[in-house]
Amino acid sequence: MLRTLMCARSGLTTAVKLFRPQQSIQPAHSKTIPPTFSLVRHYANLPSSKQSPKSASEEEKAKDDLDKKRKILELEMEVMRQEGRKVPTPAKIKESNWEHLLGLESRNQRRHYYLYLWNIEMAKESQRVKKEQRKLEVAKRREELDLANADNDHIIYGLFHNTMFLRIYDSTMDHFHNNKLVQAMRFGQNLVFDCSYDSYMNEKEMRNTAKQLMLCFGINRLHNEPFNVHHCNADFRSSTMVSLRKHLAQMDEPAFPINVTERSYLDLFPKERLVYLTPHCKNDLNEFSPDDVYIVGAMVDKSSQEAISLGKAKKLGLRMARLPLDRYFQFKSGKSLTLDQMLLILLELKGSNDFERALEHVPKRKIVPVDEQQQEQEQRFRERKQMGKFKFSAGSFHSERKFKKRY
């Protein structure tokens, strides 16, 4: 049995290597063309935007190769399951996960992704079992209540019986919150998320950006006075918009209250009303103006801390501002805030125009507490006082040397 598994593993490794794209080998006498200089930033894990069109035969051949590789991966998962490893069920893997899985080259990467998919499958199975148990408990409780009240001919009030209150369903609350967003589209203050930074982020950062945009939609939706949020400069083929569409499945419906457009904010609003919020500028936002349209860059910049939003605002000639964080806090680490934290701060400023209350949404883990600041100041004062004991003037030192020479 062990020999059979080892032979199958070696055969799978050889088969997967055969389907990897091979580099074209140029002859020695051919001249290499020097690469042209480009100012566009490229990433190795981003899809290339310049792709040559494929013929129908090439597409069919590529599809057949992917089907063969998919069968090989299914066989690999079966072998790993026989070895006792945690792998998902191939029939339950989504097409998007298959696309990512087929793009992985090394066996170690696939093994980690198998474990990730297995954890998701087990979590869904656990939720399904708990849901069935809750249904059985509710049915059992209803039967017990019916048996207890079988001999009672009077009207019974309570759960599963008559009541004077109307039940509020989740769909009713959804309609209520969506109506607030519709009212904000007509009468609310505008807020812009600039979604033009996809070329500066890798795949993971774009997915994280989409998750933060989804959280922003939920926070704004639950607020009593929400913003009229515009997602401008959106590329619907990018990973950010594809991931956002997964989080908000109704985003493409006409009646869904969300503004996503490929147009620029310069085409939607007057230029004199636009204010770009960037942490790299030197102008503090001293007062929140309800007449201005604030722009927040939809970007997760964990891999690079370049002042990209500052350069874009300067190039477009827009007003710039930053939150006065240094005036209220002493930071332990970086001052970068997520999109949902920025939205919470702006919602509080819109309602109260109080920066102390608004900046309470800054995470506590990033700032130094007041007690530690006082202890640090007292420590510096003691050190300064201790160093003051050893100070002496130059005149007293020279006079002491002259006195010693006389004797």
Side-chain angles (χ1 to χ4, degrees):
M1 183 65 182
L2 182 60
R3 181 177 297 177
T4 305
L5 289 175
M6 294 297 292
C7 293
R9 178 188 293 181
S10 60
L12 284 171
T13 307
T14 307
V16 171
K17 287 181 178 179
L18 289 175
F19 286 99
R20 291 182 183 175
Q22 298 180 356
Q23 298 179 354
S24 59
I25 302 175
Q26 297 181 354
H29 60 275
S30 63
K31 296 181 179 180
T32 59
I33 301 174
T36 57
F37 181 74
S38 177
L39 293 175
V40 182
R41 188 173 180 179
H42 297 282
Y43 287 92
N45 53 353
L46 287 178
S48 176
S49 58
K50 298 180 179 179
Q51 294 180 357
S52 58
K54 296 181 179 179
S55 61
S57 60
E58 291 179 352
E59 290 181 356
E60 291 179 0
K61 185 178 180 182
K63 187 177 180 180
D64 293 339
D65 292 343
L66 289 177
D67 292 339
K68 291 178 182 178
K69 188 175 180 180
R70 183 167 174 170
K71 292 179 181 179
I72 292 172
L73 294 181
E74 290 179 358
L75 182 59
E76 182 182 45
M77 282 187 275
E78 184 62 30
V79 172
M80 293 178 68
R81 185 180 287 107
Q82 295 293 334
E83 293 177 353
R85 298 184 182 275
K86 299 177 180 178
V87 291
T89 305
K92 296 182 180 180
I93 300 178
K94 298 180 180 179
E95 288 297 327
S96 58
N97 295 330
W98 271 117
E99 292 178 1
H100 181 77
L101 191 58
L102 292 170
L104 300 178
E105 295 183 355
S106 67
R107 189 171 184 269
N108 193 26
Q109 290 177 343
R110 293 196 298 272
R111 185 185 303 166
H112 286 292
Y113 199 66
Y114 291 152
L115 180 61
Y116 166 72
L117 295 177
W118 181 84
N119 289 330
I120 294 178
E121 184 180 338
M122 290 298 105
K124 289 182 179 180
E125 183 66 21
S126 177
Q127 291 177 359
R128 187 187 64 81
V129 172
K130 289 180 181 179
K131 189 175 181 180
E132 291 180 355
Q133 289 179 354
R134 285 195 297 268
K135 285 183 179 179
L136 293 175
E137 290 175 359
V138 170
K140 184 179 179 180
R141 186 179 177 186
R142 181 174 291 180
E143 291 178 0
E144 292 176 355
L145 289 174
D146 292 340
L147 291 175
N149 299 313
D151 300 333
N152 189 2
D153 297 333
H154 190 67
I155 297 176
I156 303 172
Y157 295 95
L159 190 63
F160 307 124
H161 299 289
N162 295 327
T163 177
M164 60 182 294
F165 301 105
L166 292 177
R167 181 175 179 180
I168 300 177
Y169 294 91
D170 293 337
S171 59
T172 307
M173 296 304 300
D174 288 339
H175 290 306
F176 171 72
H177 294 307
N178 290 342
N179 182 61
K180 288 193 298 182
L181 290 181
V182 172
Q183 295 298 321
M185 288 180 177
R186 298 180 62 189
F187 310 109
Q189 183 177 357
N190 296 302
L191 178 70
V192 175
F193 282 117
D194 189 2
C195 302
S196 62
Y197 296 99
D198 292 336
S199 58
Y200 297 94
M201 296 184 290
N202 55 32
E203 194 73 24
K204 184 178 180 181
E205 290 172 344
M206 284 192 283
R207 290 197 300 267
N208 197 356
T209 302
K211 186 176 181 180
Q212 292 183 19
L213 289 175
M214 181 265 297
L215 292 175
C216 289
F217 176 80
I219 292 170
N220 188 55
R221 183 168 171 263
L222 295 176
H223 199 266
N224 292 328
E225 297 181 0
F227 282 107
N228 181 21
V229 179
H230 296 264
H231 301 79
C232 296
N233 298 320
D235 184 7
F236 293 98
R237 295 170 298 178
S238 65
S239 297
T240 303
M241 288 295 115
V242 172
S243 301
L244 183 61
R245 192 176 286 108
K246 291 180 181 178
H247 295 309
L248 302 175
Q250 301 174 344
M251 189 178 74
D252 295 331
E253 296 183 4
F256 194 67
I258 188 172
N259 298 318
V260 184
T261 177
E262 296 178 348
R263 300 172 62 188
S264 173
Y265 36 82
L266 294 174
D267 302 331
L268 301 177
F269 308 104
K271 188 175 180 180
E272 59 272 9
R273 291 181 57 194
L274 297 175
V275 179
Y276 212 111
L277 297 179
T278 171
H280 304 287
C281 72
K282 297 181 181 180
N283 302 324
D284 287 341
L285 182 66
N286 298 319
E287 185 179 1
F288 184 87
S289 175
D291 297 327
D292 291 335
V293 179
Y294 294 97
I295 306 172
V296 180
M299 179 181 180
V300 176
D301 51 353
K302 291 184 179 180
S303 59
S304 64
Q305 301 292 332
E306 300 177 5
I308 303 171
S309 57
L310 176 67
K312 184 173 184 179
K314 283 185 176 180
K315 183 179 179 181
L316 298 175
L318 303 177
R319 289 184 293 157
M320 295 171 288
R322 66 177 180 181
L323 296 178
L325 300 176
D326 294 330
R327 191 186 306 170
Y328 296 92
F329 302 115
Q330 180 180 352
F331 283 83
K332 294 180 181 178
S333 56
K335 303 176 186 177
S336 60
L337 301 175
T338 58
L339 299 178
D340 51 318
Q341 292 165 3
M342 282 292 300
L343 181 62
L344 287 170
I345 293 172
L346 292 175
L347 285 170
E348 185 62 39
L349 287 175
K350 178 187 176 185
S352 63
N353 208 353
D354 186 357
F355 280 90
E356 290 188 3
R357 289 179 57 184
L359 295 180
E360 290 179 356
H361 297 287
V362 177
K364 303 299 181 184
R365 67 181 184 275
K366 291 190 174 184
I367 61 177
V368 180
V370 180
D371 297 337
E372 293 186 10
Q373 293 182 15
Q374 293 178 354
Q375 291 177 4
E376 187 177 354
Q377 292 177 359
E378 291 176 359
Q379 181 68 20
R380 290 178 181 176
F381 178 75
R382 286 195 297 267
E383 291 178 357
R384 199 175 300 166
K385 188 176 180 180
Q386 189 71 17
M387 291 297 295
K389 295 180 181 180
F390 299 98
K391 290 183 179 180
F392 50 86
S393 60
S396 61
F397 177 73
H398 290 300
S399 62
E400 186 177 354
R401 287 186 62 186
K402 292 179 181 179
F403 179 76
K404 288 183 177 179
K405 285 181 180 180
R406 291 177 184 175
Y407 290 95

